[in-house]
């Protein structure tokens, strides 16, 4: 007679238990939530877990469902809960999808049945509150589809979200003054608000109404009075009508700033619809004009890049049933079969290439972000070469296996990367192989070595999850000393982050050091859109040519940063979504 053996999970030492539960190949986020239901002890164990991928939540309140998205980093969604409203509640009340599993494109019934109640709204509220107790994380995006019954407003109140980074409001009908004021009082918005809805006249209605730094008016609602009354640093007015706001109004706005002492305003974008005809600005009448000088200012400004729709070409067996699917980002989260069947060929690779080339001929636009997942069959690289993309701003390369020197050189020859390259893949020895790299390179897989960072001739180097056997604090100091004894005026930043196994990191700097002085330089440096570094805890050094630099260690002694202050300005523009490293 045989009996099934049982694994004594809860008897494991804490380090082993934490490692096991944090292993995504063993348990996904939904498994952990279900594990927390078993007992109070299991709940406490899950709540104490560190280093989970989960960084934030997005909440979408649509007319026929409520979504809670589990966000990993930047805008990467790792899982979703969906609470269906209306008739579908009766058959599929509570659904889940996990993008780490093989069935990543299919909704399945949620297993967290403990959270179900008699109606969808209270189920969604219970689930969200349970999540916030178990994994307290900030809310990034809230998307609200308003409706005539005011259900969306009741739901957002019931959720009790007191702040978020971005709020997007959609509605086919006009939004009343009282609705706007009520929502703005319920939720503090740190970064931006987007009104894809017609607004009642008089916006922003109250002089004391606090708007976030960025305001997007997407429905052609902007008027002269509106942009003059708003005090946000960034105003984006899209699809405007020439009868509501004119080029002369734009000039008047610029002149008002020119004659003021306002030091906080940054960007106004006015975009007119096609019916407005050609537009001219007679700014020479008002100002002395100067040509662009790259030594005086930067070349590019970013308004905001946001996907409005997606095409997906399925590879493998799924190409036979769902070769090309599409999704609109403002119409739910379900992929549907694309109607652009004229672009389909007999195989997925040529379909992708045909569709992309048709798009570029129809709507010629630059490629901003390119993500490439390598595979052992080189299919990704074949498609990459066939697409023939000559330029992009950001290139991200992911791969489970080691990437060869030949593969990387070939990719870099195909596409010129203007901004940054992120290498989330193991590299063959000898990198950078003598190849020209973009100004910024991020190593995410602990690949960085002393030799590597000394060979890279870049402006910014970010080395994450490093091992002390490959790069040490003394190597970091040697890098600083090399810069200090050089006349290099292009280098800007080096960040080295060690794994937890490295222990505490200390720096012994053989130079005259100075404490932070806010009159001498800025306080914060930006690592990416949502991660910043407070350098007031650091030590300053000054090179013989007068250039200042800062060396700082994070409070947990796992990261060190070396930043050269080419500009001594103390101004720092916050997006409202930053987290300090």
């Amino acid at each position: 007679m045989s009996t099934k053996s049982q694994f004594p999970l809860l008897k494991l030492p804490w380090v082993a238990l934490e490692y096991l539960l944090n292993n995504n190949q063993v348990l996904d986020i939904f498994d952990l939530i279900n594990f927390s239901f078993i007992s109070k002890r299991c709940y406490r164990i899950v709540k104490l877990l560190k280093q989970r991928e989960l960084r934030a939540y997005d909440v979408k309140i649509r007319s026929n469902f409520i979504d809670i998205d589990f966000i990993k980093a930047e805008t990467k969604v790792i899982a979703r809960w969906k609470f269906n409203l209306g008739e579908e509640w009766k058959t599929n009340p509570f659904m889940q999808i996990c993008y780490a599993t093989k069935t990543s494109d299919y909704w399945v019934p949620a297993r967290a049945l403990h959270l179900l109640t008699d109606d969808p709204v209270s189920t969604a509220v219970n689930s969200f509150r349970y999540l916030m107790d178990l994994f307290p994380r900030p809310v990034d995006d809230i998307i609200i589809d308003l409706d005539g019954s005011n259900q969306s407003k009741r739901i957002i109140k019931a959720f009790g979200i007191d702040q978020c980074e971005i709020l997007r409001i959609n509605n086919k009908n006009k939004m009343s003054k009282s609705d706007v004021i009520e929502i703005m009082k319920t939720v503090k918005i740190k970064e931006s608000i987007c009104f894809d809805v017609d607004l009642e006249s008089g916006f922003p209605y109250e002089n004391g109404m606090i708007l976030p730094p960025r305001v997007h008016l997407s429905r052609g609602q902007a008027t002269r009075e509106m942009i003059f009354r708003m005090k946000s640093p960034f105003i984006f007015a899209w699809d405007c009508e020439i009868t509501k706001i004119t080029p002369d109004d734009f000039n008047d706005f610029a002149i008002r700033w020119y004659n003021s002492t306002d030091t906080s305003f940054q960007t106004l974008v006015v975009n007119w619809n096609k019916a407005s005809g050609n537009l001219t600005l007679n700014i020479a009448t008002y100002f002395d004009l100067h040509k662009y000088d790259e030594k005086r200012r930067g070349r590019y400004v970013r308004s905001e890049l946001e996907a409005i729709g997606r095409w997906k070409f399925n590879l493998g067996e799924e190409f036979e049933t769902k070769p090309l699917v599409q999704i609109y980002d403002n119409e739910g989260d379900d992929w549907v079969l694309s109607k652009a069947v004229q672009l389909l060929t007999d195989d997925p690779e040529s379909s992708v290439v045909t569709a992309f080339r048709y798009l570029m001929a129809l709507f010629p636009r630059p490629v901003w972000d390119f993500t490439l997942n390598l595979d052992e069959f080189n299919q990704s690289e074949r498609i990459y070469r066939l697409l023939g993309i000559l330029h992009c701003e950001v290139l991200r390369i992911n791969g489970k296996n080691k990437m060869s020197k030949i593969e990387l050189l070939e990719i870099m020859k195909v596409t010129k990367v203007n901004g940054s390259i992120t290498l989330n893949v193991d590299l063959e020895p000898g990198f950078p192989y003598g190849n020209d790299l973009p100004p910024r390179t991020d190593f995410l897989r602990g690949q960085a070595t002393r030799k590597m960072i000394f060979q890279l001739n870049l402006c910014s180097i970010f080395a994450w999850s490093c091992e002390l056997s490959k790069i040490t604090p003394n190597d970091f100091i040697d890098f600083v000393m090399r810069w200090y004894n050089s006349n290099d005026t292009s280098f800007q930043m080096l960040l080295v982050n060690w794994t937890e196994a490295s222990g505490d990191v200390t720096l012994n700097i053989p130079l005259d050091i100075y404490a932070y002085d806010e009159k001498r330089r800025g306080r914060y440096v930006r690592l990416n859109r949502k991660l910043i570094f407070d350098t007031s805890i650091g030590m300053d050094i000054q090179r013989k040519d007068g250039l200042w630099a800062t060396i700082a260690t994070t409070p947990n002694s796992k990261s060190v940063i070396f930043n050269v202050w080419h500009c001594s300005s103390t101004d720092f523009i916050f997006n409202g979504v930053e987290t300090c490293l």
Side-chain angles (χ1 to χ4, degrees):
M1 182 177 179
S2 62
T3 58
K4 292 183 179 179
S5 61
Q6 294 181 339
F7 183 71
L9 181 66
L10 298 182
K11 293 184 179 180
L12 287 174
W14 172 250
V15 174
L17 179 61
E18 183 180 29
Y19 176 80
L20 181 64
L21 294 179
N22 270 331
N23 190 331
N24 290 326
Q25 295 180 350
V26 179
L27 299 173
D28 61 31
I29 188 72
F30 296 135
D31 293 326
L32 282 179
I33 293 170
N34 293 328
F35 182 78
S36 72
F37 293 140
I38 296 173
S39 66
K40 290 182 179 180
R41 184 184 176 193
C42 291
Y43 178 89
R44 289 195 298 269
I45 288 172
V46 175
K47 191 172 176 63
L48 287 171
L49 289 178
K50 297 178 181 178
Q51 298 182 341
R52 288 298 306 169
E53 287 187 329
L54 182 62
R55 186 193 59 78
Y57 302 109
D58 285 353
V59 176
K60 301 172 185 177
I61 303 173
R62 304 291 195 181
S63 57
N64 58 343
F65 66 86
I66 301 169
D67 250 12
I68 298 175
D69 292 356
F70 299 74
I71 309 299
K72 177 180 178 181
E74 293 293 332
T75 57
K76 182 176 176 61
V77 180
I78 56 174
R80 282 190 172 107
W81 268 345
K82 180 196 279 187
F83 306 87
N84 286 308
L85 307 177
E87 288 297 317
E88 199 166 356
W89 163 258
K90 298 175 183 178
T91 54
N92 298 308
F94 185 11
M95 308 294 285
Q96 70 182 37
I97 188 170
C98 184
Y99 295 103
T101 63
K102 293 181 180 179
T103 58
S104 59
D105 291 323
Y106 301 100
W107 290 96
V108 296
R111 293 168 295 177
L113 301 178
H114 296 70
L115 302 173
L116 272 174
T117 66
D118 294 334
D119 70 278
V121 174
S122 62
T123 298
V125 171
N126 284 348
S127 302
F128 181 74
R129 290 178 179 175
Y130 188 86
L131 272 184
M132 291 297 279
D133 285 337
L134 187 63
F135 300 125
R137 300 291 189 275
V139 175
D140 271 5
D141 278 25
I142 299 177
I143 299 178
I144 305 176
D145 287 348
L146 296 179
D147 52 59
S149 65
N150 292 323
Q151 178 177 243
S152 302
K153 289 188 295 179
R154 289 198 302 270
I155 295 171
I156 196 66
K157 281 184 178 179
F159 266 67
I161 301 172
D162 57 358
Q163 59 184 23
C164 69
E165 306 298 334
I166 300 170
L167 175 64
R168 309 171 199 267
I169 303 176
N170 308 314
N171 194 1
K172 294 180 180 178
N173 301 318
K174 184 173 289 186
M175 188 177 184
S176 70
K177 171 182 175 179
S178 60
D179 285 344
V180 174
I181 293 174
E182 190 173 358
I183 289 175
M184 296 295 292
K185 287 181 177 178
T186 301
V187 182
K188 178 184 177 182
I189 307 154
K190 293 183 176 180
E191 181 184 357
S192 72
I193 186 168
C194 179
F195 291 101
D196 191 9
V197 58
D198 292 328
L199 297 170
E200 193 174 304
S201 60
F203 182 82
Y205 310 130
E206 296 178 353
N207 291 329
M209 178 181 283
I210 300 175
L211 291 170
R214 290 174 178 261
V215 177
H216 289 257
L217 304 165
S218 304
R219 191 73 73 83
Q221 320 96 311
T223 64
R224 173 193 171 97
E225 180 186 12
M226 197 180 287
I227 65 168
F228 271 79
R229 289 187 63 186
M230 283 190 285
K231 297 179 181 179
S232 297
F234 299 85
I235 303 171
F236 299 87
W238 304 101
D239 204 27
C240 294
E241 298 177 18
I242 200 77
T243 55
K244 293 182 179 179
I245 186 169
T246 68
D248 287 340
D249 297 329
F250 182 88
N251 287 341
D252 290 346
F253 189 96
I255 293 168
R256 185 185 71 164
W257 172 86
Y258 182 79
N259 293 319
S260 73
T261 57
D262 184 356
T263 58
S264 62
F265 181 79
Q266 185 158 344
T267 303
L268 169 65
V269 173
V270 179
N271 165 266
W272 282 275
N273 58 31
K274 290 183 179 180
S276 302
N278 294 325
L279 302 167
T280 56
L281 296 175
N282 299 314
I283 53 177
T285 309
Y286 308 104
F287 307 114
D288 293 329
L289 303 181
H290 305 271
K291 291 184 178 179
Y292 165 67
D293 183 352
E294 64 181 8
K295 296 179 181 178
R296 182 173 62 237
R297 63 170 177 83
R299 181 177 178 181
Y300 297 100
V301 294
R302 183 192 293 272
S303 56
E304 190 161 339
L305 294 176
E306 183 177 334
I308 57 173
R310 291 185 178 98
W311 270 345
K312 179 166 67 172
F313 299 83
N314 287 307
L315 307 178
E317 292 181 0
E318 200 166 358
F319 181 75
E320 298 175 5
T321 55
K322 296 180 179 179
L324 173 57
V325 292
Q326 67 186 30
I327 189 172
Y328 291 101
D329 269 20
N330 61 348
E331 293 186 6
D333 296 289
D334 293 321
W335 292 93
V336 297
L337 290 173
S338 175
K339 293 172 283 188
V341 293
Q342 295 91 338
L343 301 175
L344 284 173
T345 65
D346 294 334
D347 69 277
E349 289 185 19
S350 60
S351 295
V352 173
V353 174
T354 300
F356 180 74
R357 289 177 179 174
Y358 186 85
L359 271 184
M360 291 298 280
L362 186 63
F363 302 121
R365 299 291 189 274
V367 174
W368 191 267
D369 200 330
F370 199 110
T371 301
L372 184 63
N373 291 342
L374 301 179
D375 57 72
E376 57 184 321
F377 305 109
N378 294 323
Q379 184 182 39
S380 303
E381 291 146 276
R382 286 199 307 273
I383 297 172
Y384 183 79
R385 287 194 298 271
L386 289 169
L387 289 177
I389 298 171
L390 301 179
H391 297 269
C392 71
E393 294 300 319
V394 181
L395 175 63
R396 309 172 198 271
I397 303 177
N398 307 314
K400 294 180 180 179
N401 301 319
K402 185 173 289 186
M403 187 179 187
S404 71
K405 171 182 176 179
I406 296 173
E407 287 176 321
L408 182 59
L409 289 176
E410 193 169 350
I411 287 172
M412 297 300 292
K413 284 178 183 177
V414 172
T415 304
K416 180 183 178 182
V417 186
N418 298 321
S420 70
I421 184 171
T422 298
L423 297 167
N424 188 17
V425 60
D426 292 327
L427 299 170
E428 194 173 292
F431 182 84
Y433 317 128
N435 191 66
D436 288 334
L437 290 167
R440 168 174 172 157
T441 297
D442 287 69
F443 302 96
L444 302 186
R445 193 72 73 81
Q447 318 98 310
T449 64
R450 173 192 170 96
K451 183 178 180 181
M452 194 181 291
I453 66 169
F454 272 80
Q455 283 188 341
L456 289 170
N457 186 25
L458 305 177
C459 298
S460 300
I461 304 169
F462 294 80
W464 301 94
S465 300
C466 293
E467 299 175 18
L468 273 176
S469 59
K470 294 181 179 179
I471 186 169
T472 68
N474 287 337
D475 297 329
F476 178 86
I477 295 298
D478 289 346
F479 188 97
V480 173
M481 294 302 298
R482 185 183 70 163
W483 172 86
Y484 183 79
N485 293 315
S486 74
N487 56 6
D488 181 356
T489 57
S490 62
F491 182 79
Q492 183 167 349
M493 190 184 301
L494 168 66
L495 180 140
V496 180
N497 163 265
W498 283 277
T499 61
E500 295 237 341
S502 302
D504 291 338
V505 174
T506 57
L507 299 176
N508 298 312
I509 306 167
L511 299 170
D512 293 333
I513 59 175
Y514 304 84
Y516 165 66
D517 183 350
E518 63 181 9
K519 296 179 180 178
R520 181 170 63 237
R521 63 165 177 86
R523 177 176 178 180
Y524 297 98
V525 293
R526 184 177 294 282
L527 308 181
N528 55 44
R529 180 171 173 264
K530 295 191 177 182
L531 194 62
I532 61 175
F533 196 103
D534 184 353
T535 64
S536 65
I537 61 175
M539 302 166 283
D540 286 4
I541 59 174
Q542 187 177 31
R543 202 166 65 174
K544 57 188 176 184
D545 60 359
L547 205 56
W548 286 92
T550 297
I551 302 162
T553 306
T554 52
N556 62 6
S557 301
K558 296 294 181 280
S559 302
V560 291
I561 191 169
F562 170 50
N563 184 72
V564 180
W565 298 95
H566 293 282
C567 175
S568 60
S569 171
T570 58
D571 293 337
F572 186 87
I573 304 299
F574 284 93
N575 291 328
V577 299
E578 292 86 356
T579 301
C580 256
L581 181 66

